[in-house]
Amino acid sequence: MSQEKDATYTRFSLYSFNFLFVFAAITVVTLAVWLSVAMDNGKLVDTYHVYLVVYCLVAIAILILAACVVSCWGAWNENKVVLYVFIILMWIILIMELALAIWIFYNIEQIKGSLHHTMTYKMRNYGNDTTMDTIQSSYECCGVQYYTDWHNTTWSNAHPGHVPLSCCQGNTKSRDTKCNSEEKGNYYIYGCESKVVYYVGFCYSVVMAILLVTLFVQLIATALVYLLILVIESETEGKNKDSITSRDNPKSSSCITLSNPEMQLSE
């Protein structure tokens, strides 16, 4: 009876963690969508670096949902084979999460370092490429490291003493196409590099945090499945022992009958 209670408790604990799994899968998909939108702002980060992480997150979410279905089915039917399939899925997800976390850890500095060159390139091609307008308006900054970075561009040669309109502070914007860099307080002074680097680092830090939380839930769910398998095996052994005992003692009931001959006569 205690084994049945243990199995029931473990089963329902696993069901509860499956709800957390579903929530984790939804969170991971939301994170993938948010990351793709956030990194698309200005397209400063290489598409390969962004979508590699996004596709991995989506794949992890799909596997988590599949694992939820498998664990519920295995727990409800007390099927050890299905529960072992769940454990295999957990290990696959675990390996994917660790691989993605290691990749982010070793590539984040390279990604941050490439931002300087990307923004410098886009400043030199300003006019044909308006990416810097998007960045400067969004992050309230001007240039890469300082507003004077614009003085060394082709655009500045045609507009001496000015910076792009996106460098102007919000209350001084007009219909003009440029901002007078000689008027102090009329424009943002500090460059965009530090703000963009911080934002990119923040985005990838959120990814790492979500992966760690999901990993923690996975480990607990895997432990519960292992426990449920042990309980099922214990119940199976108990039933096998009872059947062997009843087979080895077939005369037990006849012994009781022979020991009471008077009862037979009375019948």
Side-chain angles (χ1 to χ4, degrees):
M1 190 70 179
S2 61
Q3 291 178 346
E4 292 180 1
K5 287 183 178 180
D6 292 339
T8 302
Y9 175 77
T10 306
R11 192 184 303 118
F12 281 100
S13 297
L14 186 58
Y15 292 155
S16 301
F17 270 91
N18 275 327
F19 283 110
L20 290 178
F21 260 159
V22 172
F23 179 75
I26 294 172
T27 303
V28 170
V29 170
T30 305
L31 178 64
V33 174
W34 171 75
L35 184 65
S36 62
V37 173
M39 293 292 103
D40 189 63
N41 184 17
K43 301 186 185 301
L44 291 175
V45 180
D46 187 14
T47 304
Y48 165 77
H49 291 112
V50 175
Y51 285 101
L52 175 66
V53 177
V54 170
Y55 291 149
C56 285
L57 290 175
V58 172
I60 289 171
I62 292 172
L63 287 176
I64 289 175
L65 290 176
C68 289
V69 175
V70 170
S71 64
C72 287
W73 185 21
W76 181 262
N77 295 288
E78 295 188 353
N79 190 318
K80 290 194 299 181
V81 175
V82 176
L83 292 175
Y84 278 120
V85 171
F86 169 82
I87 292 174
I88 293 172
L89 285 174
M90 286 295 98
W91 278 107
I92 293 173
I93 296 172
L94 175 64
I95 292 171
M96 289 181 64
E97 289 173 340
L98 289 177
L100 181 58
I102 292 171
W103 184 90
I104 291 174
F105 179 79
Y106 279 102
N107 285 275
I108 187 62
E109 294 303 322
Q110 179 185 351
I111 294 171
K112 290 179 179 179
S114 67
L115 293 174
H116 176 85
H117 300 288
T118 304
M119 283 190 286
T120 301
Y121 173 79
K122 290 183 180 296
M123 283 182 63
R124 290 174 181 171
N125 290 273
Y126 184 72
N128 298 323
D129 188 348
T130 58
T131 300
M132 287 303 296
D133 284 333
T134 303
I135 296 170
Q136 291 175 152
S137 299
S138 301
Y139 295 98
E140 298 183 348
C141 53
C142 187
V144 178
Q145 294 180 326
Y146 207 60
Y147 78 97
T148 53
D149 293 336
W150 281 105
H151 294 170
N152 301 318
T153 61
T154 304
W155 182 89
S156 180
N157 294 334
H159 306 87
H162 292 79
V163 290
L165 183 62
S166 55
C167 285
C168 288
Q169 296 188 20
N171 59 350
T172 60
K173 285 185 179 180
S174 65
R175 295 182 180 179
D176 197 2
T177 58
K178 53 189 179 298
C179 186
N180 189 351
S181 63
E182 302 300 328
E183 298 177 8
K184 298 296 182 181
N186 191 36
Y187 53 91
Y188 302 114
I189 297 176
Y190 298 106
C192 302
E193 182 179 3
S194 59
K195 292 185 177 182
V196 175
V197 166
Y198 173 81
Y199 182 71
V200 171
F202 170 77
C203 290
Y204 282 105
S205 296
V206 171
V207 173
M208 295 282 281
I210 296 297
L211 289 177
L212 288 175
V213 172
T214 305
L215 179 62
F216 177 73
V217 176
Q218 284 177 229
L219 292 175
I220 296 178
T222 304
L224 287 173
V225 169
Y226 270 121
L227 181 60
L228 182 59
I229 289 173
L230 291 175
V231 172
I232 292 172
E233 289 177 348
S234 179
E235 287 182 349
T236 304
E237 289 177 2
K239 291 177 182 178
N240 291 337
K241 287 181 180 179
D242 291 341
S243 62
I244 291 171
T245 303
S246 61
R247 248 191 343 262
D248 292 340
N249 300 303
K251 299 179 181 180
S252 58
S253 58
S254 61
C255 290
I256 295 174
T257 304
L258 292 174
S259 62
N260 295 284
E262 295 179 358
M263 185 180 295
Q264 289 182 332
L265 292 173
S266 63
E267 290 177 356

